[in-house]
Amino acid sequence: MLLNSLQNNSKVKFVILTDINFSAIDNISNVQFVKTSLPALNHKIDLMLGYQARLVNPYKLVDFKPT
């Protein structure tokens, strides 16, 4: 399971942006969930980079990982 793998890398802090309900997931000290939507992420990217990201699905978020 992904969360087990993240938990086993305790020296790394993971931030997961998601629109799913994560309240039922056990709290893991090095994993932070941030409730957001794809349109909100598009807007944030627009503000940070100064152009329209126009992401239509979350798959392409990996292109903005360095940001």
Side-chain angles (χ1 to χ4, degrees), residues 15-25 32-42 55-59 61:
V15 179
I16 300 176
L17 307 170
T18 183
D19 61 353
I20 64 169
N21 181 2
F22 51 84
S23 62
I25 299 173
Q32 176 187 358
F33 290 96
V34 177
K35 182 84 168 171
T36 190
S37 66
L38 192 56
L41 286 173
N42 272 322
L55 295 169
V56 294
N57 64 55
Y59 175 77
L61 279 172

Side-chain angles (χ1 to χ4, degrees), residues 8-56:
N8 289 332
N9 287 289
S10 60
K11 293 182 180 181
V12 178
K13 180 177 180 180
F14 297 94
V15 179
I16 300 176
L17 307 170
T18 183
D19 61 353
I20 64 169
N21 181 2
F22 51 84
S23 62
I25 299 173
D26 292 336
N27 188 16
I28 301 171
S29 62
N30 65 325
V31 178
Q32 176 187 358
F33 290 96
V34 177
K35 182 84 168 171
T36 190
S37 66
L38 192 56
L41 286 173
N42 272 322
H43 181 69
K44 182 109 174 164
I45 292 168
D46 295 349
L47 293 175
M48 290 174 67
L49 300 180
Y51 71 91
Q52 290 188 320
R54 296 189 184 126
L55 295 169
V56 294

